[in-house]
């Protein structure tokens, strides 16, 4: 088998890339280890920056998004009985965010991809060969049979636990790994959400109230890093949410919890995001802490840069954008890590915080509450920074 770009992984990074390349007339094949049902059912993020929404429009896959997503006009932070109520478009030059579950994005992208080109499910990449040559090869297993896919370029869009990053020799990568001393327990509940996206800093820990539809809430509470969800019966989750969000039963209705999972809170960057003819994009190269909802958006931003660079290379033999791919992406990645780290530090209860550090955290929140400049900083990052020039 042969293709111009072999894409490993049908998450947001791999699927957006496939659609961008196909639009440019570049041939690609997407290999996905899991089944279509599994990938479409995986519950993850839900906040789409303006730039990600724009990308879906450009690719002609925004019809359902426009019908079903909800615009998040306000961003609220609650702490010590106070409320910071930020008007996102008002503070961020009219830019806004949409609430639309990542698995809905993935469903729309898979349908669009299957209409125009190959995407193999249950096709697990097991080894890469020749990434330092002009003809790299992906070895993969599909329906029990071993195959080899010869490519001009390989795109490693296979997430944090994939095989692309480990295929790069360890001494050729610099790894930055920062694990925060807590995790997030996330639930989906059949209950009407709070009126606005609400982050809370509380003595008992962070909480977040988001939504998926007018009848489905997406809620998170800070938990320990290696938390066992079994230790969180439904009654305990609701009790902590009411306390931390300072929301009574009238405001925060309780409903049937139908999904529960723990997410680590971690920053990870592998640089450069390239080795020879292998390019990493999305979680394969970096993880951002979830506070700020940037993971999916960063994956989309990476592949927008990669698609432009691959088009110049494969159409015209111009490799100048590919040479800059990693540097271009990393500028955005680090600014996003900076912001997500800031929001994480601002909003969580750190087990090792001294009374001094806790006071500084509360003073920072009090400052944001009183300063339009500080709110602008939060809002313009939340809606998403403009794309970098390549
Ligand atoms: P992924 O979505 O991970 O896609 C990679 C794909 O590659 C997967 O489908 C995988 O099955 C496939 N794959 C892996 N190995 C192979 C192989 N060898 N061969 C073929 N295919 C392979 N972000 C937020 O902003 N807010 C959140 O609340 C949030 N919650 C999250 C919860 C969890 C449990 C996780 C894991 C992530 C969460 N994220 C969140 C982050 C966000 O979902 C990711 O940043 C986003 O999915 C990145 O997209 P991606 O395409 O790079 O990677
Ligand atoms: C959601 C996830 C986030 O990480 C966040 O910061 C806000 C909202 C969500 O799943 O809706």
């Amino acid at each position: 088998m042969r293709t111009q770009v072999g894409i490993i992984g049908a998450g947001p990074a791999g699927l957006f890339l496939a659609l961008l390349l196909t639009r440019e007339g570049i041939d690609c094949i997407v290999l996905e280890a899991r089944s279509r049902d599994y990938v479409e059912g995986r519950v993850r993020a839900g906040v789409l920056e303006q730039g990600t929404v724009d990308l879906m429009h450009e690719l002609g896959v925004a019809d359902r998004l426009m019908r079903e997503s909800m615009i998040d006009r306000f961003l609220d932070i609650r702490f010590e009985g106070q409320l910071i109520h930020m008007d996102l478009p008002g503070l961020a030059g009219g830019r806004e965010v949409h609430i639309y579950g990542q698995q809905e994005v993935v469903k729309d992208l898979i349908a669009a991809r299957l209409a125009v080109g190959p995407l193999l499910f249950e096709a697990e990449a097991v080894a890469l060969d020749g990434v330092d040559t002009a003809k790299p090869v992906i070895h993969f297993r599909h329906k029990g049979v071993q195959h080899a896919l010869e490519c001009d370029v390989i795109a490693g869009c296979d997430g944090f636990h994939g095989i692309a990053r480990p295929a790069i020799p360890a001494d050729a990568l610099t790894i930055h790994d920062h694990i925060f001393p807590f995790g997030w327990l996330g639930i989906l509940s059949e209950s009407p959400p709070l009126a606005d996206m609400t982050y809370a800093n509380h003595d008992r820990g962070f909480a977040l109230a988001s939504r998926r539809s007018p009848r489905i809430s997406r809620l998170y509470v800070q938990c320990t890093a290696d938390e066992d969800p079994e230790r969180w019966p439904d009654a305990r989750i609701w009790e902590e949410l009411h306390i931390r969000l300072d929301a009574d039963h009238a405001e925060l209705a309780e409903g049937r919890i139908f999904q529960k999972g723990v997410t680590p809170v971690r920053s990870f960057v592998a640089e450069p995001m390239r080795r020879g003819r292998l390019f990493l994009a999305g979680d394969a190269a970096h993880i951002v802490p979830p506070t700020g909802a940037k993971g999916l958006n960063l994956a989309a931003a990476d592949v927008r840069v990669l698609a432009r660079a691959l088009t110049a290379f494969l159409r015209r033999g111009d490799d100048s954008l590919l040479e800059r791919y990693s540097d271009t992406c990393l500028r955005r990645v680090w600014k996003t890590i900076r912001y997500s780290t800031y929001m994480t530090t601002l909003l969580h209860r750190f087990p090792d915080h001294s009374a001094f550090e806790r006071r500084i955290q509360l003073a920072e929140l009090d400052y944001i509450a009183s300063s339009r400049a500080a709110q602008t900083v939060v809002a313009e990052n939340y809606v998403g920074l403009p794309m970098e020039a390549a």
Side-chain angles (χ1 to χ4, degrees):
M1 292 170 79
R2 231 238 57 78
T3 189
Q4 286 180 290
V5 183
I7 300 177
I8 313 173
L15 291 166
F16 272 126
L17 180 63
L19 291 177
L20 283 162
L21 292 176
T22 303
R23 190 181 62 169
E24 299 297 334
I26 290 166
D27 183 46
C28 57
I29 294 181
V30 186
L31 304 174
E32 166 57 50
R34 304 292 197 141
S35 69
R36 182 173 181 178
D37 276 356
Y38 181 91
V39 174
E40 292 188 345
R42 201 163 35 192
V43 175
R44 288 181 168 178
V47 180
L48 305 190
E49 292 176 355
Q50 178 83 58
T52 307
V53 172
D54 293 346
L55 179 59
M56 291 189 66
H57 276 291
E58 277 172 43
L59 291 168
V61 292
D63 288 356
R64 197 162 68 93
L65 170 80
M66 284 297 102
R67 282 198 311 274
E68 295 180 14
S69 72
M70 294 163 290
I71 291 181
D72 223 6
R73 167 103 204 243
F74 296 101
L75 174 60
D76 285 4
I77 298 179
R78 297 184 187 186
F79 70 104
E80 297 220 308
Q82 291 194 58
L83 169 67
I84 308 173
H85 184 56
M86 286 173 274
D87 171 7
L88 291 171
L91 289 160
R95 292 162 73 81
E96 52 195 17
V97 298
H98 286 245
I99 304 292
Y100 191 63
Q102 177 169 329
Q103 75 271 36
E104 305 308 322
V105 175
V106 164
K107 280 182 207 162
D108 296 342
L109 298 181
I110 286 175
R113 171 63 195 164
L114 288 173
V116 294
L119 155 54
L120 305 183
F121 289 101
E122 295 170 72
E124 184 184 5
V126 289
L128 307 184
D129 258 346
V131 297
D132 290 326
T133 72
K135 286 278 170 272
V137 176
I138 305 172
H139 298 278
F140 69 98
R141 234 188 333 256
H142 184 45
K143 297 189 172 149
V145 181
Q146 192 87 17
H147 300 269
L149 176 61
E150 194 183 277
C151 318
D152 294 325
V153 170
I154 298 174
C157 301
D158 50 350
F160 188 65
H161 301 288
I163 63 153
R165 190 183 63 253
I168 301 177
D171 61 4
L173 285 180
T174 302
I175 303 286
H176 305 269
D177 196 5
H178 182 83
I179 299 177
F180 288 89
F182 39 75
W184 282 17
L185 178 81
I187 61 161
L188 284 168
S189 154
E190 282 170 1
S191 50
L194 295 196
D196 295 308
M197 174 78 79
T198 302
Y199 292 76
N201 174 313
H202 193 278
D203 268 340
R204 295 169 75 107
F206 166 80
L208 167 60
S210 176
R211 61 202 158 134
R212 286 295 177 270
S213 81
R215 282 170 295 112
I216 304 289
S217 292
R218 176 71 164 149
L219 298 153
Y220 299 92
V221 283
Q222 177 180 347
C223 59
T224 59
D226 54 354
E227 192 69 76
D228 174 5
E230 292 300 310
R231 291 199 336 111
W232 286 81
D234 296 2
R236 180 178 176 205
I237 297 176
W238 287 118
E239 187 188 359
E240 286 300 320
L241 284 166
H242 287 299
I243 295 172
R244 297 183 193 188
L245 289 163
D246 193 15
D248 61 17
H249 288 250
E251 187 185 18
L252 179 69
E254 298 183 10
R256 186 177 73 87
I257 295 175
F258 60 95
Q259 201 270 345
K260 212 185 264 189
V262 172
T263 307
V265 181
R266 170 182 212 166
S267 288
F268 178 97
V269 185
E271 43 187 24
M273 292 166 57
R274 172 199 189 164
R275 167 79 188 204
R277 290 286 182 99
L278 169 63
F279 294 84
L280 305 179
D283 279 18
H286 42 70
I287 299 281
V288 285
T291 333
K294 295 295 177 204
L296 156 68
N297 295 294
L298 211 45
D302 283 353
V303 296
R304 202 193 257 281
V305 177
L306 185 56
R308 204 177 333 127
L310 287 174
T311 303
F313 178 60
L314 294 168
R315 283 247 207 99
R316 302 189 292 281
D318 172 2
D319 67 357
S320 58
L321 292 180
L322 272 187
E323 290 298 327
R324 293 205 293 277
Y325 166 70
S326 177
D327 288 346
T328 303
C329 289
L330 285 168
R331 286 172 63 199
R332 185 183 191 84
V333 167
W334 279 108
K335 278 184 269 192
T336 305
I337 296 228
R338 178 207 73 82
Y339 176 65
S340 304
T341 301
Y342 170 73
M343 292 290 275
T344 302
T345 308
L346 179 71
L347 293 170
H348 288 76
R349 195 77 173 102
F350 283 69
D352 55 353
H353 258 183
S354 64
F356 173 81
E357 287 163 313
R358 175 75 179 136
R359 295 291 301 185
I360 293 292
Q361 196 186 46
L362 293 171
E364 174 84 23
L365 286 162
D366 203 13
Y367 169 62
I368 297 170
S370 66
S371 160
R372 186 177 169 90
Q375 290 183 15
T376 301
V377 170
V378 173
E380 76 172 0
N381 282 276
Y382 198 78
V383 300
L385 297 173
M387 285 298 292
E388 301 282 356

